[in-house]
């Protein structure tokens, strides 16, 4: 492998940008530092045709500058973390799939996603999430997890990753060794979990072990601090003990190891992004990601090259890492197939998955009609992992357009005045249907639910994101778990409100 140090380090960096085509600054950065990989977000996406053109532009530039194809990475988990355009098929999220109780549905969702990515030009998907959501108050994982039982997460996770083998698209299990027992969003702060390795073996590591044994090609490290394991008080993405000692040596993982975004608050605010990137590479990661800031990307590329000039990076380890990267790049599909994207069959299959996921938690069903009062907040960015703008029309307005009746869109954390206004509007209606979105975190939503329940009218509550909202509401309400605040999920919910069955079974304990 004849590569300069700058070329090798460029293969190990993953950068993102703003806009629907490569910016002049991003092009210059790729040329100067031989950057080998790009990550895309919804901010980079307008339509299928535009995304195909962008992916082609990225590949042409990076192959021309480096001689190797680019990893074009995207977080297409499904559900709340969906990055594809409207003229592609976005599948339900992990918890919704688990609510169907059939791992074959996780396999089907991956097959659908692979076809979309091959039709659009992205070749590396940051999914599936294998975190066991053991903490109901977790602000960043929640419905992105298959559930709170390790074996269920392992069953669905292994089913989800299986179709990627030989497909020309890579996938990545995350967030090692587990982000499910945290109470802090690592986009905003540095989570801490006080568990020993032996304790992790009893829960968090079960899905990761099984997925590694099943041939997972890549693992993303979490920005979580495990002080009982890592004595240097470093998050996993910067910890040689966690990356090389535990994941590589103890678990025998031979695939690609990635960081989560190194400009997230857990790294940037506590260590600094450029220093964090250098530390992650020293610790043994293959790919270090910075998703947004040009200034931090430029500073990080400069920092790793300066570290190499000072002799701080092990050249043999770098060469092994780059050879591993290039080995996986040889597995990528080479030709985009637009006809694979947005087929009628895949769209219908995804919509059917959404219908299968709706779970009845309790209460007596009734049909919505023109006398119904629909209430609840609009979709919003619940954590740094979600899209900046929500994924769907506001639930109350969406349902009122279908059934008639009144609608009121509230804030995500309604105060007393807003609650009183909602109760007043409900008085003249015969039925109430409320949608919540992480009400267990924004508790004004639960206060609103209780106040509306006191009217004594027939009432349903649909948890449009995490189902934990339903555990704290009065008995006797018709409670439904939806898991996704998305148009397919709302359409599926409307079918239930027409009198259709709720087929799902909630995969977490309430």
């Amino acid at each position: 492998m004849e590569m300069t140090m700058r070329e090798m380090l460029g293969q190990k960096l993953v950068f993102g940008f703003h806009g629907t085509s490569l910016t002049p600054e991003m092009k210059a950065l790729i040329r100067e530092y031989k950057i080998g990989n790009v990550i895309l977000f919804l901010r980079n996406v307008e339509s299928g045709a535009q995304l195909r053109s962008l992916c082609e532009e990225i590949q042409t530039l990076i192959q021309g500058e480096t001689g190797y194809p680019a990893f074009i990475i995207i977080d297409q988990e499904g559900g709340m973390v969906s990055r594809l355009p409207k003229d592609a098929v976005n599948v339900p999220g992990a918890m919704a799939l688990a609510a169907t109780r059939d791992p074959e549905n996780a396999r089907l969702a991956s097959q659908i996603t692979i076809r979309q990515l091959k039709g659009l030009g992205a070749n590396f998907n940051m999914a599936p999430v294998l975190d066991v959501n053991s903490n109901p108050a977790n602000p960043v994982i929640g419905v992105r997890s298959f559930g709170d039982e390790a074996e269920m997460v392992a069953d669905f996770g292994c089913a989800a990753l299986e179709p990627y083998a030989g497909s020309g698209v890579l996938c990545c299990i995350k967030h090692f060794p587990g982000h499910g027992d945290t109470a802090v969003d690592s986009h905003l702060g540095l989570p801490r979990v006080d568990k020993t390795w032996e304790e992790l073996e009893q829960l968090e590591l079960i899905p990761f072990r099984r997925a590694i044994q099943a041939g997972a090609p890549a693992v993303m490290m979490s920005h979580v601090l495990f002080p009982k394991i890592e004595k240097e008080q470093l998050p996993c993405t910067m910890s040689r003990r966690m990356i090389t000692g535990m994941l590589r040596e103890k678990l025998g993982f031979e695939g690609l190891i990635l960081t989560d975004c190194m400009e997230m608050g857990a790294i940037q605010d506590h260590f600094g992004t450029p220093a964090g990137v250098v530390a992650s590479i020293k610790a043994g990661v293959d790919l270090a990601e910075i998703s947004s800031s040009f200034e931090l990307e430029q500073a990080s590329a400069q920092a790793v090259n300066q570290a190499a000039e000072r002799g701080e990076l092990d050249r043999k380890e770098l060469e092994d890492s780059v050879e591993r990267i290039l080995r996986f790049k040889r597995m990528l599909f080479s030709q985009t197939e637009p006809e694979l994207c947005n087929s009628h069959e895949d769209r219908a299959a995804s919509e059917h998955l959404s219908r299968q996921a709706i779970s009845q938690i309790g209460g007596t069903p009734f049909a919505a009609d023109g006398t119904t009062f629909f209430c609840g907040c609009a979709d919003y960015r619940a954590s740094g992992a979600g899209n900046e703008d929500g994924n769907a029309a506001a639930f109350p307005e969406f349902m009122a357009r279908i059934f008639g009746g009144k609608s009121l869109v509230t804030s995500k954390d309604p105060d007393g005045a807003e609650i009183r206004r909602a109760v007043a509007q409900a008085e003249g209606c015969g039925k109430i249907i409320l949608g919540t979105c992480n009400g267990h975190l924004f508790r004004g939503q639960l206060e609103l639910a209780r106040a509306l329940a006191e009217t004594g009218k027939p009432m349903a509550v649909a948890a449009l994101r995490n189902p934990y909202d339903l555990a704290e509401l009065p008995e006797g309400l018709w409670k439904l778990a939806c898991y996704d605040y998305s148009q397919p999920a709302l359409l599926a919910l409307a079918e239930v409100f027409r009198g259709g069955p709720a087929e799902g079974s909630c995969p977490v304990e309430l």
Side-chain angles (χ1 to χ4, degrees), residues 236-269:
C236 294
T237 31
M238 296 167 57
S239 165
R240 188 166 184 87
R241 177 171 177 78
M242 297 300 287
I243 294 165
T244 299
M246 296 301 184
L247 182 53
R248 280 269 185 247
E249 296 172 0
K250 193 173 184 69
L251 297 188
F253 180 65
E254 297 180 351
L256 298 172
I257 300 177
L258 292 79
T259 71
D260 209 338
C261 177
M262 299 297 283
E263 65 182 90
M264 287 162 57
I267 304 301
Q268 185 177 171
D269 296 345

Side-chain angles (χ1 to χ4, degrees), residues 4-81:
T4 67
M5 178 60 72
R6 177 162 293 210
E7 289 169 335
M8 286 197 295
L9 291 172
Q11 286 294 323
K12 291 174 66 63
L13 296 174
V14 180
F15 287 168
F17 60 97
H18 292 264
T20 53
S21 61
L22 283 173
T23 62
E25 294 83 4
M26 186 66 173
K27 290 178 182 178
L29 197 61
I30 289 170
R31 292 189 176 108
E32 181 177 1
Y33 288 103
K34 305 304 175 187
I35 305 304
N37 316 285
V38 167
I39 184 165
L40 300 178
F41 293 85
L42 198 58
R43 64 177 182 240
N44 305 118
V45 177
E46 283 181 350
S47 68
Q50 171 269 329
L51 183 53
R52 274 189 289 273
S53 177
L54 174 58
C55 290
E56 182 178 345
E57 182 186 18
I58 292 167
Q59 286 292 3
T60 298
L61 177 59
I62 288 181
Q63 291 201 45
E65 289 295 322
T66 71
Y68 298 98
F71 286 140
I72 299 181
I73 295 172
I74 197 163
D75 286 300
Q76 183 55 25
E77 298 172 13
M80 69 170 280
V81 182

Side-chain angles (χ1 to χ4, degrees), residues 52 115-116 118-120 335-343:
R52 274 189 289 273
R115 286 192 282 271
Q116 309 315 299
K118 293 183 76 170
L120 294 167
Q335 191 69 38
T336 302
E337 302 176 65
E339 67 279 2
L340 292 178
C341 185
N342 202 28
S343 72

Side-chain angles (χ1 to χ4, degrees), residues 158-486:
C158 288
L161 72 88
E162 187 272 335
Y164 286 90
S167 71
V169 177
L170 297 180
C171 67
C172 178
I173 58 176
K174 58 188 187 184
H175 306 79
F176 184 86
H179 208 317
D181 195 21
T182 59
V184 173
D185 183 347
S186 51
H187 295 84
L188 306 175
L190 179 59
R192 172 190 176 112
V193 175
D194 289 305
K195 288 188 175 182
T196 65
W197 185 261
E198 290 70 27
E199 288 173 316
L200 294 179
E201 289 273 19
Q202 301 303 310
L203 185 74
E204 284 87 351
L205 289 173
I206 290 172
F208 287 100
R209 275 191 178 277
R210 282 187 48 190
I212 289 168
Q213 291 165 0
V219 173
M220 178 185 285
M221 303 301 296
S222 69
H223 290 326
V224 178
L225 179 66
F226 289 87
K228 291 185 177 179
I229 304 171
E230 172 50 80
K231 304 303 182 185
E232 300 298 319
Q233 304 297 302
L234 294 171
C236 294
T237 31
M238 296 167 57
S239 165
R240 188 166 184 87
R241 177 171 177 78
M242 297 300 287
I243 294 165
T244 299
M246 296 301 184
L247 182 53
R248 280 269 185 247
E249 296 172 0
K250 193 173 184 69
L251 297 188
F253 180 65
E254 297 180 351
L256 298 172
I257 300 177
L258 292 79
T259 71
D260 209 338
C261 177
M262 299 297 283
E263 65 182 90
M264 287 162 57
I267 304 301
Q268 185 177 171
D269 296 345
H270 294 266
F271 306 96
T273 295
V277 170
V278 172
S280 73
I281 290 175
K282 287 182 180 179
V285 302
D286 295 301
L287 295 164
E289 175 206 335
I290 303 174
S291 65
S292 183
S293 168
F294 170 76
E295 290 76 16
L296 289 176
E297 290 169 348
Q298 187 176 47
S300 297
Q302 186 177 48
V304 295
N305 277 275
Q306 289 173 342
E309 290 168 7
R310 293 191 298 267
E312 295 177 9
L313 306 181
D314 185 299
R315 186 177 181 93
K316 175 63 165 62
E317 194 168 86
L318 285 177
E319 289 175 347
D320 290 346
S321 175
V322 172
E323 178 51 46
R324 190 159 43 242
I325 290 166
L326 299 183
R327 173 163 56 87
F328 279 97
K329 286 191 172 185
R330 289 191 285 271
M331 300 179 186
L332 302 175
F333 70 86
S334 58
Q335 191 69 38
T336 302
E337 302 176 65
E339 67 279 2
L340 292 178
C341 185
N342 202 28
S343 72
H344 172 75
E345 292 79 9
D346 281 345
R347 190 165 289 278
S350 182
E351 290 171 354
H352 183 61
L353 291 175
S354 292
R355 288 194 294 274
Q356 288 179 276
I358 305 294
S359 309
Q360 180 169 321
I361 309 302
T364 303
F366 58 82
D369 56 29
T371 71
T372 305
F373 174 58
F374 297 100
C375 187
C377 66
D379 192 13
Y380 62 91
R381 193 179 196 193
S383 82
N387 296 322
E388 292 183 11
D389 299 316
N391 294 323
F395 166 81
E397 296 172 341
F398 185 93
M399 292 300 170
R401 283 198 296 271
I402 293 174
F403 295 102
K406 291 183 180 179
S407 67
L408 175 65
V409 180
T410 72
S411 66
K412 66 182 180 183
D413 199 11
D415 59 15
E418 205 170 0
I419 291 170
R420 288 190 293 274
R421 186 164 62 250
V423 171
Q425 290 195 32
E427 284 298 337
C429 298
K431 306 169 185 176
I432 298 171
I433 296 181
L434 173 70
T436 67
C437 186
N438 295 330
H440 68 299
L441 301 178
F442 295 97
R443 302 188 70 79
Q445 295 182 48
L446 302 186
E447 292 301 319
L448 172 60
R450 295 185 188 104
L452 290 171
E454 288 176 2
T455 66
K457 300 176 188 293
M459 180 173 165
V461 180
L464 302 172
R465 192 63 57 71
N466 284 294
Y468 306 106
D469 299 359
L470 303 173
E472 300 187 48
L473 297 181
E475 294 295 324
L477 300 182
W478 182 24
K479 300 176 184 179
L480 296 162
C482 193
Y483 311 103
D484 289 337
Y485 203 142
S486 64

